[in-house]
Amino acid sequence: MTETAILRQRGHEERPAAPRKGGLLAGLLRTARPKQWVKNVLVAAAPAAAGELFSRHALIQLALVFLLFTACAAAVYLVNDARDADADRVHPTKRHRPVAAGQVPVPLAYAVGGGLAVLAPAAALWVCSPAVAALLTAYLGMQLAYCVSLKHVLVVDLVVVTTGFLMRAMIGGLALGIPLSRWFLITTGFGALFMVSAKRYSEAVQMAGTAGATRALLTEYTTGYLRFVWQLAAGVAVLGYCLWAMEEGGVPHTSVLPWRQLSMVAFVLAILRYAVFADRGTAGEPEDVVLRDRALALIGLVWVAMYGLAVANW
């Protein structure tokens, strides 16, 4: 049974959501998911790792890349909501989305999404580099394919969402011409897979006994399998980070303390703390988990400080 059919069967007694108050622009902005834009801060990951974050050129380029990636993500959200409008109207929470609620017409959502999908890579080619434009185009193609069909394919859906995070982390390095190390890619990729699979696991736990309340593909995963995925990903991310931290690259450190090695402690603690929410089945959106848990936020700040001291060789 398709996801739309499942949602219709569950929601046939629910009334369609009335259009929310607010103008058309407000509806378009809500559809672009401003809350999700914090994920695009990852564009600064590679320059931060290389210690090239605070030059004027770097800041300008990263600001442009952030805006372009945000435009691409908004395009995907608009097309996704337009395509899923019928299914969302009978969903207990998604029916309040502007497109499903009628605040934003479906043709307009397609038009604005399509326009952003064309303009963002074109602008990247003009103000950044061909590599950045190519990565944004690849991101759009992959995410639109996800909206159409890939989100219904087991395992592939996890890979696509994880790759989206990895592309965010890569694009800053491409914009500034910074080589991306293998440890950076391994740690970032498997760290993203850890958070994505933890979120899927939490959704599967919470939907137990309420089939159809969320994405239909979750009914094909077992909680045991998703637990295995996030545990495996966490282990590989920790291993990759530790190998990076222990690798001096033949350059003797002159800092007061071995900050790179010490940062392993904070990194492992952050993974363990995040795993608490994954194990409980309460690991929702990564940004919500990080911002709402004070202990995790504090560990994150300690890690950032140690990481910064290591890069600065203080």
PDB file of all heavy atoms in Angstrom, residues 13 31 56 66 86 104 139 151 193 200 211 221 238 240 252 254 263 270-271 274 293 314:
ATOM      1  N   GLU A  13     -11.165  10.279   8.770  1.00  0.00           N
ATOM      2  CA  GLU A  13     -12.124  10.934   9.655  1.00  0.00           C
ATOM      3  C   GLU A  13     -11.658  12.336  10.052  1.00  0.00           C
ATOM      4  O   GLU A  13     -12.376  13.058  10.725  1.00  0.00           O
ATOM      5  CB  GLU A  13     -12.326  10.085  10.911  1.00  0.00           C
ATOM      6  CG  GLU A  13     -12.990   8.726  10.609  1.00  0.00           C
ATOM      7  CD  GLU A  13     -13.202   7.920  11.879  1.00  0.00           C
ATOM      8  OE1 GLU A  13     -12.736   8.367  12.944  1.00  0.00           O
ATOM      9  OE2 GLU A  13     -13.842   6.871  11.807  1.00  0.00           O
ATOM     10  N   THR A  31       7.255  27.212   4.314  1.00  0.00           N
ATOM     11  CA  THR A  31       7.513  26.024   3.520  1.00  0.00           C
ATOM     12  C   THR A  31       9.004  25.829   3.296  1.00  0.00           C
ATOM     13  O   THR A  31       9.480  24.695   3.166  1.00  0.00           O
ATOM     14  CB  THR A  31       6.793  26.117   2.158  1.00  0.00           C
ATOM     15  OG1 THR A  31       5.404  26.386   2.389  1.00  0.00           O
ATOM     16  CG2 THR A  31       6.920  24.820   1.375  1.00  0.00           C
ATOM     17  N   ARG A  56      38.833  37.633   5.532  1.00  0.00           N
ATOM     18  CA  ARG A  56      37.700  38.326   4.918  1.00  0.00           C
ATOM     19  C   ARG A  56      37.174  37.553   3.713  1.00  0.00           C
ATOM     20  O   ARG A  56      35.953  37.406   3.535  1.00  0.00           O
ATOM     21  CB  ARG A  56      38.137  39.730   4.502  1.00  0.00           C
ATOM     22  CG  ARG A  56      37.020  40.545   3.858  1.00  0.00           C
ATOM     23  CD  ARG A  56      37.520  41.926   3.455  1.00  0.00           C
ATOM     24  NE  ARG A  56      36.453  42.687   2.802  1.00  0.00           N
ATOM     25  CZ  ARG A  56      36.611  43.888   2.278  1.00  0.00           C
ATOM     26  NH1 ARG A  56      37.804  44.480   2.346  1.00  0.00           N
ATOM     27  NH2 ARG A  56      35.605  44.506   1.709  1.00  0.00           N
ATOM     28  N   PHE A  66      26.493  29.656   2.075  1.00  0.00           N
ATOM     29  CA  PHE A  66      25.377  29.399   3.001  1.00  0.00           C
ATOM     30  C   PHE A  66      24.054  29.803   2.358  1.00  0.00           C
ATOM     31  O   PHE A  66      23.071  29.051   2.405  1.00  0.00           O
ATOM     32  CB  PHE A  66      25.596  30.167   4.300  1.00  0.00           C
ATOM     33  CG  PHE A  66      24.467  30.035   5.289  1.00  0.00           C
ATOM     34  CD1 PHE A  66      24.428  28.977   6.183  1.00  0.00           C
ATOM     35  CD2 PHE A  66      23.426  30.963   5.315  1.00  0.00           C
ATOM     36  CE1 PHE A  66      23.384  28.847   7.090  1.00  0.00           C
ATOM     37  CE2 PHE A  66      22.380  30.846   6.209  1.00  0.00           C
ATOM     38  CZ  PHE A  66      22.360  29.775   7.104  1.00  0.00           C
ATOM     39  N   ASP A  86      -1.484  16.144  -1.318  1.00  0.00           N
ATOM     40  CA  ASP A  86      -2.657  15.306  -1.073  1.00  0.00           C
ATOM     41  C   ASP A  86      -2.466  14.410   0.142  1.00  0.00           C
ATOM     42  O   ASP A  86      -3.373  14.263   0.975  1.00  0.00           O
ATOM     43  CB  ASP A  86      -2.957  14.449  -2.307  1.00  0.00           C
ATOM     44  CG  ASP A  86      -3.485  15.282  -3.476  1.00  0.00           C
ATOM     45  OD1 ASP A  86      -3.998  16.388  -3.214  1.00  0.00           O
ATOM     46  OD2 ASP A  86      -3.379  14.825  -4.629  1.00  0.00           O
ATOM     47  N   VAL A 104      -0.521  28.208   0.377  1.00  0.00           N
ATOM     48  CA  VAL A 104       0.344  28.350  -0.803  1.00  0.00           C
ATOM     49  C   VAL A 104      -0.183  27.420  -1.890  1.00  0.00           C
ATOM     50  O   VAL A 104      -0.227  26.202  -1.691  1.00  0.00           O
ATOM     51  CB  VAL A 104       1.805  27.995  -0.484  1.00  0.00           C
ATOM     52  CG1 VAL A 104       2.662  28.042  -1.748  1.00  0.00           C
ATOM     53  CG2 VAL A 104       2.361  28.935   0.584  1.00  0.00           C
ATOM     54  N   TYR A 139      23.422  17.985  -5.495  1.00  0.00           N
ATOM     55  CA  TYR A 139      22.556  17.965  -4.315  1.00  0.00           C
ATOM     56  C   TYR A 139      21.090  18.063  -4.714  1.00  0.00           C
ATOM     57  O   TYR A 139      20.241  17.299  -4.227  1.00  0.00           O
ATOM     58  CB  TYR A 139      22.932  19.107  -3.379  1.00  0.00           C
ATOM     59  CG  TYR A 139      21.981  19.287  -2.219  1.00  0.00           C
ATOM     60  CD1 TYR A 139      22.097  18.505  -1.071  1.00  0.00           C
ATOM     61  CD2 TYR A 139      20.956  20.235  -2.269  1.00  0.00           C
ATOM     62  CE1 TYR A 139      21.213  18.662  -0.009  1.00  0.00           C
ATOM     63  CE2 TYR A 139      20.082  20.396  -1.211  1.00  0.00           C
ATOM     64  CZ  TYR A 139      20.211  19.608  -0.092  1.00  0.00           C
ATOM     65  OH  TYR A 139      19.323  19.760   0.958  1.00  0.00           O
ATOM     66  N   LYS A 151      13.020   8.035  -1.412  1.00  0.00           N
ATOM     67  CA  LYS A 151      12.621   7.965  -0.005  1.00  0.00           C
ATOM     68  C   LYS A 151      11.796   6.720   0.296  1.00  0.00           C
ATOM     69  O   LYS A 151      11.513   6.432   1.462  1.00  0.00           O
ATOM     70  CB  LYS A 151      11.842   9.217   0.399  1.00  0.00           C
ATOM     71  CG  LYS A 151      10.497   9.403  -0.292  1.00  0.00           C
ATOM     72  CD  LYS A 151       9.863  10.700   0.170  1.00  0.00           C
ATOM     73  CE  LYS A 151       8.548  10.986  -0.521  1.00  0.00           C
ATOM     74  NZ  LYS A 151       7.951  12.271  -0.087  1.00  0.00           N
ATOM     75  N   LEU A 193      25.480   9.893   9.405  1.00  0.00           N
ATOM     76  CA  LEU A 193      24.695   8.654   9.370  1.00  0.00           C
ATOM     77  C   LEU A 193      24.221   8.274  10.768  1.00  0.00           C
ATOM     78  O   LEU A 193      23.095   7.787  10.940  1.00  0.00           O
ATOM     79  CB  LEU A 193      25.525   7.524   8.775  1.00  0.00           C
ATOM     80  CG  LEU A 193      24.836   6.151   8.699  1.00  0.00           C
ATOM     81  CD1 LEU A 193      23.562   6.217   7.856  1.00  0.00           C
ATOM     82  CD2 LEU A 193      25.796   5.101   8.144  1.00  0.00           C
ATOM     83  N   ARG A 200      15.687   8.092  12.597  1.00  0.00           N
ATOM     84  CA  ARG A 200      14.798   7.079  12.044  1.00  0.00           C
ATOM     85  C   ARG A 200      14.408   6.061  13.125  1.00  0.00           C
ATOM     86  O   ARG A 200      13.254   5.632  13.201  1.00  0.00           O
ATOM     87  CB  ARG A 200      15.466   6.354  10.880  1.00  0.00           C
ATOM     88  CG  ARG A 200      15.625   7.176   9.624  1.00  0.00           C
ATOM     89  CD  ARG A 200      14.271   7.352   8.917  1.00  0.00           C
ATOM     90  NE  ARG A 200      14.471   7.916   7.594  1.00  0.00           N
ATOM     91  CZ  ARG A 200      14.535   9.200   7.331  1.00  0.00           C
ATOM     92  NH1 ARG A 200      14.428  10.078   8.314  1.00  0.00           N
ATOM     93  NH2 ARG A 200      14.710   9.631   6.090  1.00  0.00           N
ATOM     94  N   ALA A 211       0.587   2.664  13.124  1.00  0.00           N
ATOM     95  CA  ALA A 211       0.991   2.575  11.717  1.00  0.00           C
ATOM     96  C   ALA A 211       0.296   3.640  10.884  1.00  0.00           C
ATOM     97  O   ALA A 211      -0.890   3.880  11.018  1.00  0.00           O
ATOM     98  CB  ALA A 211       0.661   1.195  11.155  1.00  0.00           C
ATOM     99  N   TYR A 221      11.396  -1.136   8.102  1.00  0.00           N
ATOM    100  CA  TYR A 221      12.592  -1.274   8.927  1.00  0.00           C
ATOM    101  C   TYR A 221      12.210  -1.944  10.248  1.00  0.00           C
ATOM    102  O   TYR A 221      11.091  -1.790  10.735  1.00  0.00           O
ATOM    103  CB  TYR A 221      13.188   0.088   9.259  1.00  0.00           C
ATOM    104  CG  TYR A 221      13.982   0.748   8.150  1.00  0.00           C
ATOM    105  CD1 TYR A 221      13.559   1.949   7.601  1.00  0.00           C
ATOM    106  CD2 TYR A 221      15.168   0.189   7.681  1.00  0.00           C
ATOM    107  CE1 TYR A 221      14.293   2.578   6.596  1.00  0.00           C
ATOM    108  CE2 TYR A 221      15.908   0.805   6.679  1.00  0.00           C
ATOM    109  CZ  TYR A 221      15.462   1.984   6.149  1.00  0.00           C
ATOM    110  OH  TYR A 221      16.188   2.603   5.160  1.00  0.00           O
ATOM    111  N   VAL A 238      33.692   7.691  15.654  1.00  0.00           N
ATOM    112  CA  VAL A 238      34.659   7.839  16.751  1.00  0.00           C
ATOM    113  C   VAL A 238      36.039   7.366  16.303  1.00  0.00           C
ATOM    114  O   VAL A 238      37.060   8.021  16.554  1.00  0.00           O
ATOM    115  CB  VAL A 238      34.192   7.056  17.996  1.00  0.00           C
ATOM    116  CG1 VAL A 238      35.317   6.955  19.022  1.00  0.00           C
ATOM    117  CG2 VAL A 238      32.978   7.743  18.622  1.00  0.00           C
ATOM    118  N   GLY A 240      37.270   7.193  13.222  1.00  0.00           N
ATOM    119  CA  GLY A 240      37.820   8.137  12.259  1.00  0.00           C
ATOM    120  C   GLY A 240      38.356   9.388  12.930  1.00  0.00           C
ATOM    121  O   GLY A 240      39.441   9.886  12.594  1.00  0.00           O
ATOM    122  N   PRO A 252      55.709  18.723  14.347  1.00  0.00           N
ATOM    123  CA  PRO A 252      55.720  18.718  15.814  1.00  0.00           C
ATOM    124  C   PRO A 252      54.839  19.834  16.361  1.00  0.00           C
ATOM    125  O   PRO A 252      54.867  20.964  15.859  1.00  0.00           O
ATOM    126  CB  PRO A 252      57.190  18.963  16.152  1.00  0.00           C
ATOM    127  CG  PRO A 252      57.737  19.675  14.956  1.00  0.00           C
ATOM    128  CD  PRO A 252      57.000  19.122  13.780  1.00  0.00           C
ATOM    129  N   THR A 254      53.644  22.644  18.982  1.00  0.00           N
ATOM    130  CA  THR A 254      54.302  23.540  19.935  1.00  0.00           C
ATOM    131  C   THR A 254      53.290  24.160  20.891  1.00  0.00           C
ATOM    132  O   THR A 254      53.585  25.141  21.569  1.00  0.00           O
ATOM    133  CB  THR A 254      55.030  24.666  19.170  1.00  0.00           C
ATOM    134  OG1 THR A 254      54.079  25.366  18.350  1.00  0.00           O
ATOM    135  CG2 THR A 254      56.137  24.107  18.283  1.00  0.00           C
ATOM    136  N   SER A 263      40.873  16.611  22.498  1.00  0.00           N
ATOM    137  CA  SER A 263      39.536  16.820  21.944  1.00  0.00           C
ATOM    138  C   SER A 263      38.801  15.508  21.697  1.00  0.00           C
ATOM    139  O   SER A 263      37.573  15.490  21.559  1.00  0.00           O
ATOM    140  CB  SER A 263      39.618  17.625  20.646  1.00  0.00           C
ATOM    141  OG  SER A 263      40.202  16.863  19.603  1.00  0.00           O
ATOM    142  N   ALA A 270      30.379  13.530  23.545  1.00  0.00           N
ATOM    143  CA  ALA A 270      29.249  14.048  22.778  1.00  0.00           C
ATOM    144  C   ALA A 270      28.495  12.908  22.090  1.00  0.00           C
ATOM    145  O   ALA A 270      27.251  12.879  22.098  1.00  0.00           O
ATOM    146  CB  ALA A 270      29.739  15.060  21.745  1.00  0.00           C
ATOM    147  N   ILE A 271      29.217  11.972  21.508  1.00  0.00           N
ATOM    148  CA  ILE A 271      28.578  10.813  20.878  1.00  0.00           C
ATOM    149  C   ILE A 271      27.806   9.996  21.908  1.00  0.00           C
ATOM    150  O   ILE A 271      26.650   9.582  21.671  1.00  0.00           O
ATOM    151  CB  ILE A 271      29.631   9.926  20.184  1.00  0.00           C
ATOM    152  CG1 ILE A 271      30.248  10.660  18.989  1.00  0.00           C
ATOM    153  CG2 ILE A 271      29.016   8.609  19.730  1.00  0.00           C
ATOM    154  CD1 ILE A 271      29.340  10.863  17.820  1.00  0.00           C
ATOM    155  N   TYR A 274      24.647  11.918  22.969  1.00  0.00           N
ATOM    156  CA  TYR A 274      23.628  11.865  21.916  1.00  0.00           C
ATOM    157  C   TYR A 274      23.005  10.475  21.858  1.00  0.00           C
ATOM    158  O   TYR A 274      21.804  10.328  21.608  1.00  0.00           O
ATOM    159  CB  TYR A 274      24.261  12.219  20.572  1.00  0.00           C
ATOM    160  CG  TYR A 274      23.278  12.655  19.513  1.00  0.00           C
ATOM    161  CD1 TYR A 274      23.107  14.002  19.220  1.00  0.00           C
ATOM    162  CD2 TYR A 274      22.514  11.731  18.812  1.00  0.00           C
ATOM    163  CE1 TYR A 274      22.206  14.419  18.244  1.00  0.00           C
ATOM    164  CE2 TYR A 274      21.611  12.139  17.838  1.00  0.00           C
ATOM    165  CZ  TYR A 274      21.464  13.474  17.564  1.00  0.00           C
ATOM    166  OH  TYR A 274      20.562  13.872  16.605  1.00  0.00           O
ATOM    167  N   ASP A 293      19.423  20.114  24.977  1.00  0.00           N
ATOM    168  CA  ASP A 293      20.110  19.426  26.065  1.00  0.00           C
ATOM    169  C   ASP A 293      21.319  20.247  26.495  1.00  0.00           C
ATOM    170  O   ASP A 293      22.287  20.396  25.748  1.00  0.00           O
ATOM    171  CB  ASP A 293      20.539  18.028  25.619  1.00  0.00           C
ATOM    172  CG  ASP A 293      21.190  17.250  26.763  1.00  0.00           C
ATOM    173  OD1 ASP A 293      20.489  16.951  27.738  1.00  0.00           O
ATOM    174  OD2 ASP A 293      22.401  16.972  26.665  1.00  0.00           O
ATOM    175  N   TRP A 314      47.821  26.725  19.872  1.00  0.00           N
ATOM    176  CA  TRP A 314      48.074  27.583  21.035  1.00  0.00           C
ATOM    177  C   TRP A 314      48.670  26.801  22.196  1.00  0.00           C
ATOM    178  O   TRP A 314      48.215  25.716  22.496  1.00  0.00           O
ATOM    179  CB  TRP A 314      46.760  28.227  21.482  1.00  0.00           C
ATOM    180  CG  TRP A 314      46.963  29.168  22.638  1.00  0.00           C
ATOM    181  CD1 TRP A 314      47.427  30.450  22.597  1.00  0.00           C
ATOM    182  CD2 TRP A 314      46.729  28.885  24.021  1.00  0.00           C
ATOM    183  NE1 TRP A 314      47.476  30.986  23.856  1.00  0.00           N
ATOM    184  CE2 TRP A 314      47.057  30.041  24.762  1.00  0.00           C
ATOM    185  CE3 TRP A 314      46.292  27.740  24.725  1.00  0.00           C
ATOM    186  CZ2 TRP A 314      46.952  30.096  26.150  1.00  0.00           C
ATOM    187  CZ3 TRP A 314      46.177  27.818  26.100  1.00  0.00           C
ATOM    188  CH2 TRP A 314      46.508  28.990  26.801  1.00  0.00           C
TER     189      TRP A 314
END
